[in-house]
Amino acid sequence: MKNNLADMMCLDLYLSSLSKEQKKDIELNIPESNAKVMPLLCWDIYSQNFYNEAERLKKENDIKEFSALAKKLNWQNDIESIFKDQTFDALVITNLEKQIVWVNNGFSDMTGYTKKHAINKTPAFLQGANTSAETKKRIREKIVQNISFTDVIINYKKDKTPYSCEIKIIPLYNSETTHFLALEREVG
């Protein structure tokens, strides 16, 4: 039987679940190995790295999808600068009538709503009792001014849980503004 590190680690995990008597009986039948034993902490580091890499790849895919849409709609924005050093959970594109025309998968993860549910609705469906009228007014005014800005609004998930949502709104344009992009993330 060929021993490898993964087999030995699995065996270590199995052995740690046994009683002392069970472990002694089994250890007598285990061949010697020169593999170094790694503490379980190594798996935690690996797991965290795997999670971070998966998140990075999801965001990279979101940016690729957005870039393809930008090319199709001939937006002249500098896509690289939009996403440079930005943290986001969700991406939402609305048209000039404030209707959602595209969201990434992170939107569903953050809000609990499906992409299909969000399309053709305005972002107002995420608002509720604790959503500030002042904040909504401030956001509307900045959108009318056609400028990029960042604000925080109280939104509600599908299960009615309120959350603070930081939104960074960016006008998307070719010869004139045609859509708005919101980079969103749950904060505080």
Side-chain angles (χ1 to χ4, degrees):
M1 179 173 129
K2 182 180 177 185
N3 290 333
N4 67 37
L5 190 55
D7 291 337
M8 293 306 293
M9 285 188 225
C10 290
L11 183 60
D12 286 344
L13 289 172
Y14 170 72
L15 290 174
S16 68
S17 70
L18 300 176
S19 70
K20 286 183 181 181
E21 295 79 28
Q22 291 171 318
K23 188 175 176 182
K24 278 185 183 181
D25 289 341
I26 290 175
E27 282 180 336
L28 295 174
N29 296 315
I30 298 173
E32 289 292 318
S33 171
N34 60 358
K36 294 181 180 177
V37 178
M38 295 187 331
L40 197 50
L41 177 62
C42 292
W43 286 107
D44 293 340
I45 292 169
Y46 171 79
S47 175
Q48 184 62 47
N49 185 55
F50 180 82
Y51 173 80
N52 291 343
E53 186 64 12
E55 287 299 305
R56 186 190 66 75
L57 290 172
K58 280 197 288 189
K59 288 189 185 340
E60 189 175 290
N61 187 56
D62 290 339
I63 293 168
K64 282 181 184 176
E65 281 186 53
F66 176 83
S67 296
L69 190 55
K71 185 175 182 177
K72 179 180 175 184
L73 296 173
N74 199 32
W75 290 326
Q76 302 302 307
N77 302 74
D78 180 0
I79 305 302
E80 189 175 313
S81 69
I82 288 175
F83 293 103
K84 184 177 171 116
D85 301 324
Q86 294 297 319
T87 303
F88 62 88
D89 297 321
L91 296 175
V92 179
I93 298 175
T94 58
N95 61 21
L96 296 179
E97 289 77 38
K98 301 176 192 156
Q99 293 172 312
I100 296 171
V101 296
W102 181 84
V103 296
N104 69 340
N105 291 327
F107 176 85
S108 298
D109 296 340
M110 186 172 77
T111 66
Y113 289 102
T114 64
K115 289 178 165 188
K116 186 177 179 180
H117 181 85
I119 300 300
N120 294 322
K121 290 187 174 47
T122 67
F125 84 92
L126 296 166
Q127 299 165 4
N130 291 330
T131 305
S132 164
E134 261 182 55
T135 303
K136 292 191 303 186
K137 180 181 177 198
R138 189 172 55 242
I139 290 171
R140 278 192 305 273
E141 288 171 353
K142 288 181 181 175
I143 287 173
V144 168
Q145 293 172 15
N146 204 31
I147 58 172
S148 296
F149 66 93
T150 302
D151 211 326
V152 176
I153 189 166
I154 302 296
N155 278 342
Y156 288 80
K157 297 181 183 205
K158 186 177 181 183
D159 68 4
K160 308 297 183 214
T161 304
Y163 66 100
S164 294
C165 183
E166 179 185 81
I167 55 173
K168 179 173 185 170
I169 307 287
I170 300 160
L172 301 171
Y173 60 90
N174 41 47
S175 59
E176 58 186 36
T177 299
T178 62
H179 294 81
F180 291 92
L181 169 66
L183 287 85
E184 301 184 359
R185 69 185 184 111
E186 192 171 344
V187 294

